[in-house]
Amino acid sequence: MDSEMTTKDEEMEEAAPQKAEEEKKKKSKIVMLVGAPGSGKSTFSEDVMKTSSRSWVRVCQDTIANGKTGTKAQCLKKATDALNDWKSVFIDRCNLDREQRSEFLKLGSPHVDVHAVVLDLPARLCISRSVKRTGHEGNLQGGKAAAVVNRMLQKKELPKLNEGFSRITFCLNEKDVEEAVKTYGALGPLDTLPSGSFGQKNPDAKVQLGIMKFMKKVKPPNNSSKDPVSKQESKETNPSSKEQDVVAFSAQNTDKNIKADGNSRERPAAGSAMTNDIPTLAFPSISTADFQFNHKKASDIIIEKVEEFLDKIGNGRLVLVDLTSGSRILNLVKVKAEQKNIDSSKFFTFVGDITQLYTKGGLHCNVIANAANWRLKPRGGGPALEIATKEAAGDAGCIEPGSALTVPLPSTSQLHKREGVTHVIHVLGPNMNPQRPDCLNNDYDKGCKILREAYSSLFEGFTSIVRTLTKEFNKDPSKSVSTVPSSLIDQRSKREGVFESDSNKKYKGPKVEVGVEKKSESTERFTGDGTIKTWGSWAQSLHRMAMDPEKYNKDVLEISDDVVVLNDLYPKAQKHLLVVARKDGLDRLTDVRVEHLPLLRAMQNVGVKWAMKLISDEPSLVFRLGYHSDPSMRQLHLHVVSQDFNSTHLKNKKHWNTFNTAFFLDSVDVMEEIEKCGKAKLNDNESLMSVELRCNKCRSAHPNIPRLKSHISRCRAPFPSDLLQNGRLVLAPN
DNA sequence: GTTCTAGAAC
DNA sequence: GTTCTAGAAC
């Protein structure tokens, strides 16, 4: 409509908006904040917005959904809207890994620069801030915060320019942050900043410098005495306070007391290839030495927390370590663990120096705990110790009692190279010693609470490491979970992304990319109602194992031409195995035809064989073998599950009903059905998942899972007659 | 398959 | 106030 107007003014009016638009376009910026909770992202953006003459929009995931935590998608939308409005945007979420950042980077354009401001402050500072703050918008408070921050920092990938940033500013301390606030606050509407990466000291450092220096204080035994630092330390440290002080990390040039725990609690043969592969956390008793926490109470808490976490740590194990075999706490815990019948292959006690468990005790522990005493004041342990502590604690001064800090060890560190320790978890317990700071004055209510928190944080940290290892292993099974000595196994490959050693070569097999399906249609399944569902990536692991069992050697109990036998990763009973068919294309029961009967019989036979083997070890076990009508995991698999259903992994109605309704099809019945009708009759009915919870023996109904579980642990009724027929149950001959 | 968490149920 | 479930996200 303006096109016909010809006066000068009007021409100018026509051109002006275009020009203004261009100008506006140029001035938009995305500043992506990168940092853990507590690193000060929100404060940073607020401080900039206070002084800036630009128009900023802060996109904060913690508050985006009407003040509550929202989704990444919501953030993307708000950012897009703001950019369309020619505003500049702060992306205020952690953005700690490349994947999380990638979608926001796509919002960049020739007119919109994307900057990163990395708030790479000491982990302790972030943790203590997150723990302390109340009413934080993201609701990340209290003890949980420490675990969350730890987990996040472990996965941290610092941003690089090649991701698409035009400028990256690294802030390693408060002063850097102040500078960056000034820089961005002073940025006028049309100003630009030089491109490039600023402020990063060591591009590949994942570990805080202070802690790296701290760790370097661990020297091999033969040269530690030459090191004036450790000499001083061992001289000046009160032997009675060894455990709580950082002396755990000073080399102890002594052989005394380095011996395996000779007492009754069984310790799996250390040093064998098998045990080397088990993620293991060695930890001292927290707070019982220098912090004078009551030993009896402490031992109860250790047992309580060990029991709580034993199921969460997957294939990992926990080892309580003390220097002397006469240790009271060690003996208390040992007796209680025996009384409680705790699996001694997953938790045991060990006598030795926690920094030399592998070289002096033959016990490989990839993670060790340091019962920290960050608050050690100068009089505590001599100048060297003071410096070390200060460095490790950074500007924040301390970690909070009850919290833990996971520190990955550089591969160059002695602990890593010599002992195979890949992580140290620092944990601070409650103090009952009036001679030490923050004494709780015999307040054991509070003390026990903090000690529980401390163990929770410690075990949580370890759980997270185990999880990461397992994930890495699943992603690339040729990368061993083992870390002994990890420097020999994966350092180069991690750096260069190649595997050339012979042991890895032989697993390479045919040129099939792991995780990439050969046939796209094979990831789909036809459900009963004629719809097609896609198998999610998490649902593919059994298929992968069945196709390449050698790659998963240590997770597999048996490999034959027909089947692979393995322990269910999340057992729903004391014993829960899977017999997985190896035939490609047999995803589930609907794919089974008469020609597969021999295979089904083979699966049944292998399942019975394993059930009988387990029964011979534990005659009270009773097994049922069967298939799920609509399995979640791809690749036909037979469940061999003991009927106690005593497992922490059995958590909800669906878990129960998949094993205790018609959804569960007994192997014997399936084979009979196929023989008769040519295929299995499925009970793929969603409503079966929501039927009331009934005891598998007396068939009584129960209102919820905890009540049901408590009932089945006591119910002594015989199995119902239908289960006792046709060999549906495998049980010990009486 | 699990984890996380809001809100229902108690 | 605490326990438990169910649904979304992964």
Side-chain angles (χ1 to χ4, degrees):
Chain A
M1 61 175 197
D2 292 272
S3 56
E4 311 255 338
M5 301 187 183
T6 52
T7 67
K8 217 177 179 183
D9 273 358
E10 282 159 344
E11 270 173 12
M12 278 186 67
E13 259 181 38
E14 190 187 15
Q18 237 175 15
K19 205 178 165 204
E21 205 162 280
E22 285 301 312
E23 299 238 324
K24 276 181 186 168
K25 270 183 189 173
K26 269 181 211 159
K27 71 184 184 184
S28 290
K29 259 186 193 31
I30 300 172
V31 176
M32 197 185 298
L33 296 161
V34 177
S39 59
K41 299 182 295 293
S42 299
T43 312
F44 181 93
S45 39
E46 278 159 12
D47 287 353
V48 171
M49 286 158 87
K50 262 182 226 159
T51 54
S52 178
S53 55
R54 274 172 174 261
S55 183
W56 289 95
V57 169
R58 174 176 159 239
V59 176
C60 173
Q61 185 154 349
D62 284 345
T63 54
I64 197 163
N66 290 325
K68 291 181 181 168
T69 306
T71 60
K72 187 158 106 182
Q74 286 171 307
C75 294
L76 281 162
K77 183 169 184 309
K78 186 169 172 187
T80 311
D81 292 347
L83 291 171
N84 287 338
D85 231 3
W86 314 119
K87 301 228 166 88
S88 289
V89 181
F90 279 114
I91 310 293
D92 179 0
R93 60 202 290 284
C94 296
N95 298 313
L96 281 171
D97 58 74
R98 198 182 172 122
E99 202 184 322
Q100 286 291 330
R101 294 188 288 263
S102 65
E103 291 193 55
F104 292 94
L105 272 156
K106 286 180 198 153
L107 302 178
S109 71
H111 306 295
V112 181
D113 280 347
V114 188
H115 292 189
V117 172
V118 185
L119 301 172
D120 196 15
L121 282 84
R124 293 158 306 281
L125 178 60
C126 303
I127 290 170
S128 69
R129 279 178 184 164
S130 318
V131 171
K132 271 180 205 154
R133 69 178 144 192
T134 53
H136 169 59
E137 293 157 333
N139 208 19
L140 183 59
Q141 305 167 22
K144 262 192 179 174
V148 172
V149 174
N150 273 330
R151 201 176 302 164
M152 288 183 135
L153 285 175
Q154 257 184 281
K155 286 194 278 183
K156 173 175 80 174
E157 292 170 88
L158 293 175
K160 299 204 165 102
L161 290 171
N162 64 15
E163 287 175 44
F165 292 105
S166 59
R167 179 188 169 94
I168 303 177
T169 312
F170 290 91
C171 302
L172 304 180
N173 53 47
E174 304 269 28
K175 217 180 146 205
D176 294 346
V177 176
E178 251 174 62
E179 284 300 312
V181 168
K182 263 189 218 159
T183 307
Y184 278 94
L187 207 60
L190 293 171
D191 295 339
T192 54
L193 288 171
S195 298
S197 182
F198 301 86
Q200 194 176 20
K201 290 197 177 107
N202 178 0
D204 288 317
K206 271 199 168 180
V207 183
Q208 299 294 333
L209 193 62
I211 288 175
M212 280 178 81
K213 276 190 202 158
F214 179 53
M215 292 304 163
K216 277 187 187 152
K217 300 211 179 300
V218 180
K219 291 285 193 279
N222 56 355
N223 63 12
S224 66
S225 55
K226 288 179 218 151
D227 179 359
V229 170
S230 38
K231 211 174 178 181
Q232 219 162 4
E233 260 182 41
S234 47
K235 219 192 280 176
E236 291 187 29
T237 309
N238 173 1
S240 71
S241 64
K242 269 179 184 166
E243 196 184 333
Q244 285 297 341
D245 290 345
V246 195
V247 73
F249 291 92
S250 74
Q252 305 227 329
N253 198 4
T254 163
D255 285 334
K256 66 170 171 150
N257 297 326
I258 311 292
K259 57 170 185 266
D261 182 358
N263 263 324
S264 54
R265 284 193 70 75
E266 168 202 347
R267 185 173 63 80
S272 76
M274 217 181 99
T275 50
N276 278 344
D277 285 335
I278 303 173
T280 305
L281 167 71
F283 64 100
S285 167
I286 300 167
S287 289
T288 46
D290 194 34
F291 280 175
Q292 299 178 354
F293 197 96
N294 177 292
H295 285 212
K296 206 186 147 296
K297 287 188 169 75
S299 63
D300 283 333
I301 290 173
I302 292 173
I303 291 294
E304 178 195 321
K305 285 292 157 185
V306 164
E307 280 194 298
E308 185 186 323
F309 274 85
L310 225 44
D311 282 309
K312 297 183 188 169
I313 55 170
N315 63 336
R317 52 182 190 173
L318 306 170
V319 185
L320 177 68
V321 177
D322 202 292
L323 265 174
T324 62
S325 55
S327 154
R328 183 154 172 258
I329 184 76
L330 211 65
N331 289 319
L332 278 170
V333 168
K334 204 189 305 181
V335 168
K336 282 174 187 164
E338 252 156 22
Q339 281 168 357
K340 291 260 187 173
N341 231 344
I342 294 178
D343 183 350
S344 59
S345 65
K346 298 202 81 181
F347 171 63
F348 51 93
T349 58
F350 196 87
V351 176
D353 175 351
I354 201 165
T355 64
Q356 302 180 40
L357 291 173
Y358 186 60
T359 48
K360 293 288 173 70
L363 175 69
H364 174 244
C365 299
N366 57 323
V367 185
I368 63 178
N370 170 34
N373 186 354
W374 302 116
R375 302 191 161 201
L376 207 62
K377 294 290 186 286
R379 60 188 163 136
L385 188 55
E386 186 195 328
I387 292 164
T389 310
K390 215 173 174 181
E391 276 175 358
D395 295 335
C398 58
I399 58 172
E400 291 295 310
S403 69
L405 171 66
T406 300
V407 180
L409 286 185
S411 56
T412 49
S413 76
Q414 287 299 331
L415 265 178
H416 195 147
K417 271 200 284 199
R418 197 187 63 204
E419 303 291 332
V421 176
T422 57
H423 296 77
V424 174
I425 304 177
H426 301 280
V427 54
L428 182 60
N431 174 32
M432 294 296 173
N433 180 354
Q435 305 294 309
R436 296 280 175 268
D438 291 344
C439 174
L440 290 174
N441 294 322
N442 225 31
D443 180 355
Y444 268 97
D445 282 349
K446 203 167 175 192
C448 288
K449 188 171 164 273
I450 295 176
L451 191 60
R452 283 197 180 87
E453 281 172 10
Y455 279 108
S456 289
S457 311
L458 170 62
F459 295 159
E460 190 76 52
F462 178 60
T463 308
S464 153
I465 294 168
V466 175
R467 228 179 270 143
T468 314
L469 285 173
T470 315
K471 252 188 214 153
E472 267 173 29
F473 173 76
N474 285 340
K475 252 192 246 163
D476 188 346
S478 61
K479 210 183 272 184
S480 173
V481 173
S482 163
T483 46
V484 178
S486 67
S487 46
L488 301 179
I489 293 172
D490 60 6
Q491 285 317 303
R492 189 177 53 114
S493 11
K494 263 187 189 157
R495 270 198 316 274
E496 301 171 10
V498 292
F499 295 91
E500 283 175 356
S501 78
D502 285 340
S503 60
N504 287 322
K505 244 185 211 164
K506 74 177 172 205
Y507 295 132
K508 279 285 178 183
K511 277 258 169 214
V512 176
E513 291 292 319
V514 178
V516 179
E517 294 308 319
K518 288 173 279 179
K519 304 174 271 180
S520 60
E521 70 268 28
S522 66
T523 63
E524 292 168 347
R525 54 178 162 156
F526 296 86
T527 61
D529 55 5
T531 56
I532 300 173
K533 274 195 226 166
T534 307
W535 299 99
S537 65
W538 51 264
Q540 307 270 2
S541 60
L542 289 182
H543 177 257
R544 285 195 287 263
M545 279 193 167
M547 296 305 111
D548 275 306
E550 289 82 6
K551 278 190 180 167
Y552 303 84
N553 249 333
K554 61 175 144 310
D555 294 327
V556 165
L557 299 171
E558 178 186 341
I559 304 173
S560 72
D561 289 347
D562 296 324
V563 299
V564 172
V565 183
L566 48 120
N567 278 309
D568 193 296
L569 187 58
Y570 299 97
K572 301 299 185 291
Q574 279 186 54
K575 295 291 172 189
H576 183 182
L577 310 187
L578 301 177
V579 180
V580 187
R582 293 196 58 192
K583 188 169 171 48
D584 198 6
L586 266 196
D587 286 349
R588 56 207 294 274
L589 220 40
T590 41
D591 304 324
V592 172
R593 294 293 175 268
V594 183
E595 70 254 33
H596 302 120
L597 261 177
L599 175 58
L600 258 64
R601 291 198 187 104
M603 292 170 75
Q604 160 86 9
N605 289 340
V606 171
V608 170
K609 181 187 82 183
W610 275 93
M612 293 198 338
K613 181 180 151 64
L614 294 166
I615 287 170
S616 72
D617 293 340
E618 178 47 66
S620 66
L621 294 175
V622 174
F623 284 90
R624 198 174 165 197
L625 282 67
Y627 300 89
H628 282 159
S629 290
D630 184 18
S632 304
M633 306 290 286
R634 179 184 175 197
Q635 195 67 17
L636 183 70
H637 55 280
L638 174 70
H639 291 269
V640 178
V641 59
S642 64
Q643 295 298 291
D644 49 84
F645 294 107
N646 174 12
S647 163
T648 50
H649 296 294
L650 199 154
K651 291 174 176 165
N652 58 43
K653 207 168 199 174
K654 190 179 174 193
H655 289 155
W656 178 259
N657 285 337
T658 50
F659 288 97
N660 291 287
T661 65
F663 185 89
F664 188 86
L665 302 166
D666 290 278
S667 167
V668 283
D669 296 334
V670 168
M671 292 188 295
E672 201 182 302
E673 187 81 22
I674 293 170
E675 231 167 319
K676 260 200 289 183
C677 313
K679 59 179 182 178
K681 193 169 138 263
L682 304 182
N683 295 308
D684 180 11
N685 190 336
E686 284 241 325
S687 62
L688 281 173
M689 289 306 101
S690 49
V691 300
E692 59 193 347
L693 297 165
R694 285 189 177 275
C695 170
N696 57 331
K697 289 178 177 161
C698 72
R699 299 289 190 207
S700 59
H702 299 269
N704 55 45
I705 288 289
R707 298 270 284 274
L708 172 76
K709 287 178 94 168
S710 131
H711 167 81
I712 56 171
S713 70
R714 286 178 282 109
C715 182
R716 295 284 168 267
F719 284 97
S721 57
D722 60 307
L723 282 186
L724 288 165
Q725 290 162 7
N726 284 355
R728 292 188 178 99
L729 294 179
V730 180
L731 61 180
N734 49 355

